[in-house]
């Protein structure tokens, strides 16, 4: 039997983070070593319970670690987190999921220490997926860069190279939220660790439809029902805030780009800088230099829906083949 892929997930759940985590938890080919939380979509005390909710929901024994409650430049300032106004993800930060949680899997170890411990235990074997701001990763690099270089790969939901940003004209949310952290991660790791950006160029090329989400609800059991509920919240916001009818599930696509590379239709190698000046703060920019990161530029909708549904409801493969035949 092939060995399972060892994964660490760093996240700020978040509806699309929730979809991504639930999918990763359902994937029999993954060995999820831990889930590390970071402030982003909502404050740390709001997002950490969402990770705990999901491991409880799936009845899994996976450590959930708390990470940074604020961006790098705010560490030590003792500020009150002000991002509760980000209502895109609902009051609980996960589309009013209604799920309860316990602290059963809450680890006493901080995210950056946990990450370093696991990499030392499995050097060159771990694929790190980041679905939120890069604060925890930058803190781990500042603590022990040599160990971080022993990641096998890092797949980042963040950035936008050819599209406008979704937070400012230039910046995507995760990178904008802590651009200093993102700048450190790219500068310190891109030459040594295989780095992939799944940014808005890629994610916005694939809009999942209401029909696809309803199919999940009708056939996907309790997972499908939960996903459909939180995605309905998400799609309502996409419609009223962005005029997009359907769901662009950034963080889910990011996980699938790693686990099911057939979903990537177009990619390019480029040299990436993260800009920190006021106007362009948080922009990921392609600059002169040899390509040190891979950017996903287009996602194949059919391949993605097939991969996603097959992970969530393998027992319904005949229906998946019927409704969404291989292109
Ligand atoms: C990213 O920002 C967050 O709101 C989402 O969870 C996703 O990770 C998209 O820009
Ligand atoms: Ca996220």
């Amino acid at each position: 039997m092939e060995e399972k892929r060892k994964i660490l997930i760093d996240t700020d759940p978040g509806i699309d983070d929730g979809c991504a985590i639930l999918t990763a938890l359902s994937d029999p080919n993954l060995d999820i070593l831990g889930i590390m939380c970071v402030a982003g979509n909502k404050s740390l005390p709001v997002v950490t319970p969402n990770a705990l909710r999901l491991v409880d929901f799936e009845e899994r024994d996976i450590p959930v670690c708390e990470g940074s409650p604020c961006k790098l430049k705010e560490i030590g300032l003792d500020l009150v987190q002000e991002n509760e106004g980000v209502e895109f993800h609902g009051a609980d930060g996960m589309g009013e999921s209604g799920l309860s949680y316990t602290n059963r899997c809450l680890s006493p170890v901080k995210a950056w220490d946990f990450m370093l411990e696991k990499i030392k235990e499995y050097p060159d074997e771990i694929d790190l997926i980041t679905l939120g701001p890069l604060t925890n990763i930058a803190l781990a690099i500042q603590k022990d860069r040599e160990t971080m270089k022993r990641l096998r790969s890092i797949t980042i939901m963040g950035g936008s190279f050819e599209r406008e940003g979704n937070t400012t004209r230039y910046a995507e949310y995760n990178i904008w939220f802590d651009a200093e952290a993102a700048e450190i991660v790219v500068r310190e790791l891109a030459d040594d660790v295989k780095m992939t950006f799944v940014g808005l160029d890629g994610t916005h090329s694939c809009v999942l439809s209401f029909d696809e989400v309803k199919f999940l609800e009708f056939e996907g059991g309790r997972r499908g029902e939960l996903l459909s509920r939180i995605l309905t919240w998400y799609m309502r916001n996409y419609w009223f805030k962005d005029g997009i009818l359907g769901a662009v599930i950034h963080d889910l696509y990011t996980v699938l780009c790693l686990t099911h590379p057939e979903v990537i239709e177009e990619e390019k190698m480029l040299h990436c800088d993260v800009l920190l000046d006021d106007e362009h703060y948080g922009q990921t920019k392609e600059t002169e230099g040899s390509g040190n990161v891979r950017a996903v530029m287009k996602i194949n909708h059919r391949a993605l829906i097939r991969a996603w549904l097959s992970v969530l409801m393998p027992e319904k493969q005949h229906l998946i083949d019927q409704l969404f035949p291989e292109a």
Side-chain angles (χ1 to χ4, degrees):
M1 207 180 76
E2 227 182 281
E3 231 195 288
K4 293 184 179 198
R5 187 192 275 275
K6 293 184 179 55
I7 298 270
L8 284 170
I9 300 178
D10 194 88
T11 177
D12 61 336
I15 299 174
D16 55 335
D17 302 73
C19 294
I21 295 168
L22 198 66
T23 304
L25 290 171
S26 313
D27 190 331
N29 298 317
L30 301 185
D31 177 8
I32 302 173
L33 303 174
I35 300 176
M36 297 150 319
C37 298
V38 67
N41 282 320
K42 291 272 193 179
S43 63
L44 196 63
V46 177
V47 299
T48 308
N50 286 335
L52 293 167
R53 285 183 168 97
L54 294 168
V55 287
D56 277 359
F57 180 82
E58 288 287 324
E59 296 178 12
R60 298 287 293 277
D61 244 327
I62 294 175
V64 171
C65 305
E66 285 192 308
S68 181
C70 60
K71 44 196 104 187
L72 276 190
K73 63 182 178 194
E74 290 177 353
I75 290 177
L77 294 184
D78 209 16
L79 296 174
V80 176
Q81 180 84 30
E82 293 285 7
N83 67 347
E84 298 301 340
V86 186
E87 279 316 323
F88 204 91
H89 296 264
D92 72 346
M94 207 166 60
E96 313 294 329
S97 70
L99 295 179
S100 58
Y101 75 96
T102 67
N103 284 338
R104 187 179 58 91
C105 289
L106 186 63
S107 162
V109 182
K110 287 288 176 204
W112 40 90
D113 288 330
F114 184 85
M115 209 173 333
L116 292 167
E117 265 173 29
K118 289 293 161 194
I119 302 169
K120 281 183 190 149
E121 198 176 335
Y122 303 110
D124 308 317
E125 282 186 50
I126 296 179
D127 296 306
L128 169 65
I129 304 175
T130 71
L131 307 176
L134 290 161
T135 321
N136 292 341
I137 320 304
L139 285 166
I141 293 172
Q142 288 179 335
K143 209 162 175 187
D144 183 352
R145 172 169 177 255
E146 287 312 302
T147 296
M148 289 299 281
K149 279 165 59 178
R150 304 299 298 273
L151 279 166
R152 182 165 68 177
S153 74
I154 168 164
T155 305
I156 297 172
M157 192 290 124
S160 193
F161 292 97
E162 293 177 4
R163 277 183 69 96
E164 274 203 2
N166 60 2
T167 304
T168 69
R169 180 164 164 213
Y170 299 103
E172 178 280 330
Y173 184 77
N174 288 341
I175 305 297
W176 168 86
F177 188 87
D178 195 345
E180 279 76 11
E183 195 274 333
I184 291 172
V185 171
V186 174
R187 176 164 43 82
E188 298 286 355
L189 280 194
D191 288 337
D192 297 294
V193 178
K194 191 174 157 206
M195 189 174 283
T196 299
F197 274 87
V198 184
L200 302 180
D201 312 283
T203 60
H204 273 275
S205 69
C206 180
V207 182
L208 295 190
S209 71
F210 278 77
D211 290 359
E212 286 159 341
V213 172
K214 278 291 164 194
F215 175 66
L216 247 184
E217 177 182 319
F218 298 156
E219 293 289 346
R222 57 195 283 279
R223 276 180 194 148
E225 191 276 320
L226 171 65
L227 285 166
S228 164
R229 185 145 40 86
I230 65 177
L231 282 171
T232 301
W233 177 280
Y234 194 72
M235 291 192 290
R236 187 179 295 119
N237 279 333
Y238 259 106
W239 174 246
F240 286 114
K241 295 200 166 120
D242 294 332
I244 294 173
L245 196 54
V248 178
I249 317 178
H250 311 276
D251 295 341
L252 166 72
Y253 301 172
T254 303
V255 168
L256 292 172
C257 281
L258 174 72
T259 59
H260 294 72
E262 71 274 15
V263 309
I264 301 174
E265 189 166 318
E266 235 179 87
E267 61 183 40
K268 77 182 197 187
M269 290 303 295
L270 50 84
H271 192 275
C272 170
D273 274 355
V274 178
L275 305 188
L276 299 176
D277 63 277
D278 284 352
E279 187 183 357
H280 301 96
Y281 186 79
Q283 182 181 357
T284 48
K285 191 168 165 55
E286 179 175 0
T287 49
E288 287 287 305
S290 61
N292 58 357
V293 309
R294 175 172 75 135
V296 172
M297 303 308 285
K298 192 166 179 201
I299 285 175
N300 185 299
H301 187 142
R302 180 56 62 94
L304 184 125
I305 191 76
R306 283 180 60 81
W308 189 32
L309 297 176
S310 306
V311 169
L312 289 175
M313 42 169 126
E315 71 289 355
K316 300 285 165 71
Q317 192 60 48
H318 60 290
L319 283 179
I320 300 170
D321 288 339
Q322 200 179 311
L323 285 171
F324 310 105
E326 246 171 298

